[in-house]
Amino acid sequence: MSHMRPIIPKGRPLCGLLLIVSVCGILFSPQVAWCETYGAKDAQGSFVAKVAVTVADKEVTIRKVDPREKFTAISLKLNAKNKDLIKNVASLELIWIGPGNKAGRPVPFAGPLYDRNTRTFTESMTKSVSVKIVDKSGQNLFVGKSFSELFTISVDKQTLVSSESASEEERTVQLGRGRDVSIQVDKTAIVFNQSNYKPGEMINVDNRTGVDQVIGIQLPEKSFVLAQLRRRLEQTKIPRENWDKFTLPADSGVFVALIPEPDPAQLRKLNGKEIVIRMLQGNEMREVRRIPIKVSPDLLSGAVELTPAEPSGGPEPKEPSAIGTGTSTGTVASPEAKPRPQTRQPAQGSQASRWRVLWDWAVPLLNLALLILLAVYSFFFMMPKIQVLEDRVVQSEMYIHGSREAMREELEQMKKEMVDQIRQESGRE
């Protein structure tokens, strides 16, 4: 039986070779770059592409989709999470490219148009069709990074998003899904009870995205002893007139500190109210978070029973129920009963505070007086001993001086005798 050779199509080895070469080129080529389109939504909700972004190992290219379009202002903001990029911002250069692929002179990214406080470079882009950001640091700042991990781009004060983000079905972040902007609030409701109505409650609001957001916070009025809104990192207070609309920077947060009024009437008014957190996009409302406020029944009942029980002290059950329900019975006794605990308690509190202030001042003054007495006693007790020591030192110095003079005289006498003896011996010779 004769052996038969397998039939191999002529074009198949060439195709396999080309496929292998292509895969190797993709894997081992250092200049592989991926392109992504960024844009914004118009009034009808349609995505409008503005720029095409290409990220390579050493440069990022931003090219207009429509070369004839003029950008009054284009802003590039460094990602706050990318510490290496922020640290090496001085090594970045910009090259503006005009029509006909004519490149201009490189300019530093961190030049006069760079705001170090907001980490943002802003410039107009009317004639240029593209711009390149070149990495001159040698630290491979762009390698393996997407554009969103490096920069946030805005055109004419409008933040651009990628076409992939714009095409997602859900536009708000829920349980860590999606890529749109949102905030994180650590409480869904607030319940004031006997344990927390004095120290108060705190609500943390975090911007967990890489984009600045505009939010507004509305609180119930005239129901809190303390109601403050502060930025977490700077610990600066946000003025109340700015609560309706203020900017929450990327990767930062604020906290709301709330201490309710102890007055039972104010607690009843506060029960059932809401804290409203609004997220704005321009002049439109994008999202609203509502945090209901509840006051526990034990706090309300305890506050109501405390008022009539102190002045009356009697076993009558009708007066507390009349005051609590607001009926006509006991109306004469209830006005007299209300001011008594309020006038008595502040007097006791003020007396205790006076004693506390006096004690706080008395302890340091007593310590100071004891220190002065100790210093005076030590001075007068040690003075005689110091005087004796000084006398002994003087005597020792006098003795040393006398001994030194005696030794000098004796040496002079010996020297004179030796000289006379030498002269006599030389005369004899």
Side-chain angles (χ1 to χ4, degrees):
M1 181 181 291
S2 61
H3 294 282
M4 299 179 61
R5 295 178 62 185
I7 300 173
I8 300 175
K10 294 182 179 181
R12 184 167 297 179
L14 183 59
C15 293
L17 182 60
L18 291 176
L19 181 61
I20 293 173
V21 171
S22 301
V23 172
C24 292
I26 292 173
L27 292 177
F28 299 104
S29 175
Q31 294 297 330
V32 173
W34 302 98
C35 185
E36 198 172 6
T37 303
Y38 277 74
K41 284 193 172 183
D42 57 9
Q44 289 75 25
S46 301
F47 180 78
V48 179
K50 293 288 185 180
V51 294
V53 178
T54 306
V55 181
D57 290 348
K58 294 295 182 182
E59 63 183 28
V60 176
T61 304
I62 303 172
R63 178 176 52 83
K64 291 180 182 178
V65 174
D66 184 4
R68 297 170 297 179
E69 190 174 4
K70 296 182 179 181
F71 298 156
T72 307
I74 180 171
S75 300
L76 296 170
K77 182 178 181 180
L78 304 184
N79 192 335
K81 297 180 180 179
N82 198 328
K83 303 301 181 183
D84 293 336
L85 185 64
I86 297 174
K87 185 169 60 176
N88 294 280
V89 66
S91 301
L92 301 181
E93 288 185 351
L94 289 168
I95 300 177
W96 299 93
I97 301 174
N101 203 22
K102 294 181 180 180
R105 295 176 58 184
V107 295
F109 187 94
L113 302 177
Y114 177 72
D115 188 351
R116 296 187 179 275
N117 296 326
T118 60
R119 310 179 307 278
T120 306
F121 174 88
T122 305
E123 175 64 300
S124 61
M125 190 175 179
T126 55
K127 296 181 180 180
S128 301
V129 296
S130 63
V131 60
K132 287 184 179 181
I133 308 171
V134 183
D135 176 20
K136 295 289 186 179
S137 64
Q139 302 294 326
N140 295 326
L141 302 176
F142 302 157
V143 175
K145 299 289 193 302
S146 63
F147 184 75
S148 59
E149 293 175 313
L150 299 172
F151 304 97
T152 299
I153 184 170
S154 301
V155 171
D156 297 336
K157 298 183 180 181
Q158 188 176 17
T159 303
L160 305 185
V161 296
S162 66
S163 57
E164 183 181 352
S165 299
S167 61
E168 290 181 356
E169 295 179 358
E170 295 182 1
R171 295 298 296 160
T172 55
V173 174
Q174 296 179 357
L175 300 178
R177 298 177 299 171
R179 298 178 58 183
D180 200 3
V181 293
S182 186
I183 62 172
Q184 184 175 359
V185 184
D186 64 344
K187 288 183 175 61
T188 57
I190 293 181
V191 179
F192 288 110
N193 48 36
Q194 295 284 353
S195 62
N196 67 352
Y197 85 98
K198 287 185 178 180
E201 280 287 345
M202 186 178 298
I203 305 173
N204 293 307
V205 182
D206 295 312
N207 180 7
R208 59 188 179 91
T209 67
V211 181
D212 296 350
Q213 297 192 66
V214 179
I215 68 172
I217 298 179
Q218 181 180 354
L219 302 178
E221 296 182 359
K222 300 179 181 179
S223 298
F224 294 102
V225 175
L226 174 67
Q228 289 187 358
L229 184 60
R230 289 180 176 269
R231 299 187 184 274
R232 184 175 295 115
L233 294 179
E234 300 88 348
Q235 292 295 317
T236 55
K237 188 189 297 184
I238 299 177
R240 184 178 289 270
E241 57 268 17
N242 297 338
W243 287 7
D244 293 338
K245 187 176 181 180
F246 63 93
T247 301
L248 187 60
D251 300 313
S252 66
V254 296
F255 64 87
V256 186
L258 301 172
I259 300 178
E261 289 277 0
D263 186 12
Q266 296 294 332
L267 287 175
R268 291 193 196 95
K269 292 179 181 179
L270 186 62
N271 190 23
K273 293 293 183 65
E274 290 180 336
I275 298 173
V276 182
I277 303 176
R278 298 181 175 89
M279 281 147 281
L280 308 173
Q281 188 168 1
N283 294 326
E284 297 180 358
M285 195 78 60
R286 186 172 58 83
E287 188 178 351
V288 178
R289 303 279 184 91
R290 299 182 182 274
I291 303 175
I293 301 174
K294 298 180 181 179
V295 181
S296 61
D298 58 341
L299 183 61
L300 289 174
S301 61
V304 173
E305 292 175 359
L306 185 63
T307 304
E310 287 186 359
S312 62
E316 264 187 79
K318 292 184 179 180
E319 288 186 7
S321 62
I323 297 173
T325 55
T327 56
S328 59
T329 59
T331 54
V332 178
S334 58
E336 296 176 358
K338 286 183 180 179
R340 289 180 184 175
Q342 293 178 0
T343 54
R344 190 181 307 164
Q345 289 178 357
Q348 295 175 355
S350 61
Q351 186 176 2
S353 63
R354 290 195 198 98
W355 281 110
R356 190 179 299 110
V357 171
L358 290 175
W359 177 255
D360 292 341
W361 278 98
V363 171
L365 291 176
L366 182 61
N367 292 334
L368 182 61
L370 290 175
L371 288 174
I372 294 174
L373 289 176
L374 182 61
V376 172
Y377 174 77
S378 301
F379 179 75
F380 286 103
F381 179 75
M382 295 297 294
M383 277 298 293
K385 294 186 177 182
I386 294 173
Q387 190 67 35
V388 171
L389 289 175
E390 288 182 353
D391 294 341
R392 288 180 179 178
V393 170
V394 171
Q395 291 176 1
S396 300
E397 289 179 352
M398 293 176 65
Y399 174 76
I400 292 170
H401 182 71
S403 301
R404 188 184 301 159
E405 292 295 329
M407 292 175 65
R408 185 182 291 112
E409 291 177 358
E410 187 175 356
L411 289 172
E412 290 291 335
Q413 184 65 28
M414 291 175 63
K415 180 180 177 182
K416 184 177 180 181
E417 291 176 356
M418 291 176 66
V419 170
D420 292 341
Q421 186 178 357
I422 292 170
R423 285 178 180 176
Q424 290 175 5
E425 291 179 353
S426 61
R428 290 174 184 175
E429 293 176 355

